[in-house]
Amino acid sequence: MVDIPGPELDADTAAHLRRYGVRSVCLFGKNVVDEAQLTRLCADLRALMGEGALIALDHEGGAIVRPDFWPFAPSAMALGAADDVALTGQVSGGLARQLRRVGINWNFAPVLDVNVNPANPVIGDRAFGADTARVTRHGRAALAGHHEAGVAACVKHFPGHGDTALDSHYALPSVTRSRQDLDRLEFAPFRDLLPVTPAVMTAHVVFPALDADAPATLSRAALTGLLRQEWGYGGVIVTDSMGMKAIDDHYGRGEAGVLALAAGADLVMALGRREAQEATLDAVAQALADGRLDPAEGQASAERLAALARTYPAQADPTLDPQADAPVFARAWAQALTAYRAPVAPPPGSAVQLVAQRRAPRENVSEASVDAATLAADLGEVYTVDLIAFDDPAELDWNALHAGNTPLILATTSRHRHAALRGTRPDLHLALYNPYAALDVDAPALLTYGFRPEARRAVVAWLRGEASAPGTLPFQG
């Protein structure tokens, strides 16, 4: 699997795909302009790659959504907070229908990581919660929603990225739990849902209880020994991006691709610059020629991938209307609102100070969050807002902010938690992205598990006193 450089299938890229016989492409924000363009691109890719084409996208909901022209579905943790499995199935079906409308047939979701580490820098709100039962029941609903809507789901990140303090985009994490603890916690959702799982994505994480040396992506003990032989999984295994530093900085592209296939992966995600793609493709061809890779295993992988494409064809369905799922998404965001430490909204019509980050930029897999001015305009529907926008929370003078009698509202809107906000005491905390920020700020909080417009509309309704906060905290407070 490769990515392509832009929103059109140019002649040079088409020749590259044709030359190597590539049949699977992962799309990113750089490939998305509008619905009509995305539909054309998918049709061009399918025409070139054939009926066995696999066209994929990270379309999880929350912050992990590339197209910005459809209604926004809530994050997995928002669904975990709402804790309504029927609703999770409906939302997941809606996400799948958006993709199927334009011809994308593979969604790299749902996340089955159990986010037991509050300091996790890359999972957080992408997980359904911090306990295996919640993750498993909502993961099952998400898989069913995708299947019923005709799009292949892909659970990730096997065997679990929820107990890491490092982001595998930048470093190589390790989870040192015993095998007994892993079976009980991280492994459980993946193991229990395998019968209804069409595809599994690997984690670039070392599990010494399985393999003391190699990350799961490159570990035969993990992919063949555990997943194939011990658990009997017969579906597709795809690696996470091999361009992430956890792999690229330690192994190199070509060798890593060969190691992943030898470990038991069916498909290597060789993303990035053309030279990196060619290094992987050439190394795999050489390894097949010199016997490092078993041709029989390669044929079995090809058959599994072809079966996935037959079950979920990359055929656009323009009769599907993405707006039809907007009410379900809005209801899910509203049901996710969670009260922490009994927050009380200032009276509508009063003056408030709003403290918010001026701009919260895009960070690796996540899209850019809401900016302070937009958030001030939202709250301006309820209050007279004095906006205090910051670039770095360390620059805030909390004594001065508390000097007046105006209620002080802090909004946290970034993926990462800020040490400078620990122990701060606003009158109300709106946790509009990373929900674990509520553990840092010494104040009553309203948690949304996301910053999208639908989430902010639910917040405004709560501030007006028109809605409650029915969600349950999906981790320990």
Side-chain angles (χ1 to χ4, degrees):
M1 173 173 275
V2 302
D3 60 335
I4 61 174
E8 306 294 336
L9 182 60
D10 62 274
D12 181 60
T13 300
H16 169 64
L17 300 181
R18 194 178 296 111
R19 179 166 60 252
Y20 283 98
V22 172
R23 294 290 178 268
S24 51
V25 166
C26 185
L27 301 179
F28 292 90
K30 64 185 177 180
N31 308 121
V32 178
V33 176
D34 56 38
E35 190 179 271
Q37 166 272 326
L38 187 54
T39 303
R40 286 195 305 273
L41 176 60
C42 291
D44 290 344
L45 286 169
R46 186 176 186 275
L48 184 142
M49 296 190 295
E51 292 186 0
L54 291 167
I55 305 172
L57 191 71
D58 287 304
H59 202 54
E60 298 174 17
I64 319 297
V65 170
R66 308 307 170 211
D68 61 3
F69 40 77
W70 291 322
F72 290 105
S75 64
M77 194 167 279
L79 294 171
D83 205 11
D84 178 339
V85 292
L87 185 60
T88 295
Q90 292 166 11
V91 167
S92 299
L95 279 167
R97 283 186 286 275
Q98 289 177 342
L99 299 184
R100 197 164 143 239
R101 175 177 170 86
V102 297
I104 295 169
N105 60 337
W106 200 2
N107 188 11
F108 289 149
V111 169
L112 294 188
D113 303 315
V114 183
N115 199 78
V116 296
N117 189 340
N120 196 316
V122 68
I123 303 301
D125 64 304
R126 300 170 67 194
F128 290 111
D131 67 278
T132 58
R134 191 184 302 251
V135 171
T136 302
R137 65 177 176 266
H138 288 281
R140 187 181 301 279
L143 287 164
H146 278 82
H147 177 71
E148 291 164 10
V151 170
C154 181
V155 302
K156 59 187 184 184
H157 306 81
F158 171 82
H161 209 319
D163 192 22
T164 60
L166 296 174
D167 180 350
S168 53
H169 289 85
Y170 305 118
L172 180 58
S174 179
V175 174
T176 57
R177 292 182 185 273
S178 69
R179 174 62 195 269
Q180 182 178 15
D181 285 344
L182 290 169
D183 281 332
R184 176 180 55 83
L185 190 62
E186 274 91 342
F187 292 1
F190 293 98
R191 181 189 64 233
D192 294 350
L193 296 179
L194 284 182
V196 290
T197 295
V200 172
M201 180 182 289
T202 66
H204 303 330
V205 177
V206 176
F207 292 81
L210 291 177
D211 188 323
D213 300 314
T217 296
L218 309 182
S219 170
R220 192 163 179 88
L223 303 190
T224 297
L226 179 63
L227 192 50
R228 292 282 190 219
Q229 296 174 349
E230 186 174 336
W231 291 353
Y233 182 58
V236 167
I237 301 174
V238 57
T239 73
D240 206 341
S241 169
M242 302 298 266
M244 292 159 64
K245 289 181 178 294
I247 298 296
D248 213 12
D249 283 2
H250 295 83
Y251 300 94
R253 289 299 190 88
E255 178 65 12
V258 172
L259 290 172
L261 294 174
D266 296 307
L267 187 64
V268 172
M269 201 182 294
L271 307 183
R273 62 193 186 281
R274 178 72 61 81
E275 311 89 82
Q277 295 180 15
E278 291 176 340
T280 303
L281 292 160
D282 291 342
V284 169
Q286 183 60 45
L288 284 167
D290 64 22
R292 285 187 66 195
L293 290 176
D294 183 347
E297 290 189 357
Q299 182 60 36
S301 291
E303 290 171 1
R304 282 189 284 265
L305 291 163
L308 187 71
R310 282 195 303 272
T311 305
Y312 304 98
Q315 185 65 55
D317 184 351
T319 68
L320 297 172
D321 179 9
Q323 296 302 322
D325 290 300
V328 171
F329 292 175
R331 179 161 58 89
W333 282 110
Q335 284 187 215
L337 283 185
T338 304
Y340 180 66
R341 295 180 177 173
V344 176
S350 61
V352 300
Q353 294 181 89
L354 172 64
V355 181
Q357 189 170 350
R358 195 180 315 278
R359 293 184 62 83
R362 188 182 192 282
E363 298 184 51
N364 58 58
V365 294
S366 69
E367 300 300 330
S369 182
V370 60
D371 60 83
T374 299
L375 189 55
D378 290 338
L379 268 61
E381 299 176 22
V382 187
Y383 304 117
T384 300
V385 178
D386 177 17
L387 174 62
I388 297 96
F390 64 85
D391 296 305
D392 180 351
E395 71 195 25
L396 295 169
D397 183 345
W398 286 93
N399 288 328
L401 291 172
H402 281 293
N405 294 320
T406 308
L408 186 60
I409 300 176
L410 169 67
T412 51
T413 57
S414 64
R415 166 165 289 285
H416 297 297
R417 296 161 68 178
H418 290 292
L421 294 177
R422 289 177 190 154
T424 54
R425 302 183 67 183
D427 298 294
L428 175 64
H429 174 201
L430 302 178
L432 299 179
Y433 194 166
N434 190 327
Y436 295 95
L439 306 180
D440 299 328
V441 178
D442 188 13
L446 183 71
L447 283 67
T448 63
Y449 314 94
F451 53 81
R452 297 299 190 181
E454 293 87 343
R456 305 198 312 270
R457 285 195 287 271
V459 170
V460 168
W462 181 84
L463 292 170
R464 283 178 170 152
E466 298 171 351
S468 62
T472 58
L473 197 67
F475 55 85
Q476 280 199 314

